[in-house]
Amino acid sequence: MTEKITVPKLRGVENYTSWSADLRIILKHHKRWTWIEGANENAPPTFITDASSTKPNPDYATWEEGADDAMFRIVMTF
């Protein structure tokens, strides 16, 4: 059985240490910690262009999904 993890809302310096530790665990569990560390700081190109066409870059879609998910999980703790 999976337990639900609840992170208390951030209340400034009052609970920053425990909040950041909890958030780190959640982001690592969901494989989103790399967005915090900066490994995914730069998005790949949105489109791929070759000699005959321009098409969406699937790497960009994957990057954007990860960035959106990380942001959602952070914002939900404020």
Side-chain angles (χ1 to χ4, degrees):
M1 182 168 114
T2 303
E3 297 288 329
K4 181 178 177 181
I5 298 173
T6 303
V7 176
K9 301 267 184 205
L10 178 61
R11 295 183 309 273
V13 297
E14 180 182 330
N15 72 333
Y16 175 79
T17 302
S18 63
W19 172 86
S20 64
D22 291 344
L23 190 60
R24 180 179 179 160
I25 290 167
I26 289 169
L27 292 173
K28 281 187 169 234
H29 173 75
H30 291 282
K31 297 178 177 39
R32 300 299 183 220
W33 187 248
T34 56
W35 273 263
I36 305 304
E37 290 180 322
N40 293 299
E41 183 176 357
N42 298 314
T46 308
F47 295 98
I48 299 171
T49 303
D50 60 26
S52 62
S53 67
T54 298
K55 55 188 171 186
N57 182 353
D59 291 339
Y60 177 81
T62 301
W63 177 89
E64 184 177 41
E65 181 182 317
D68 289 348
D69 185 60
M71 179 75 72
F72 171 79
R73 292 178 192 286
I74 293 167
V75 168
M76 292 307 294
T77 66
F78 281 92

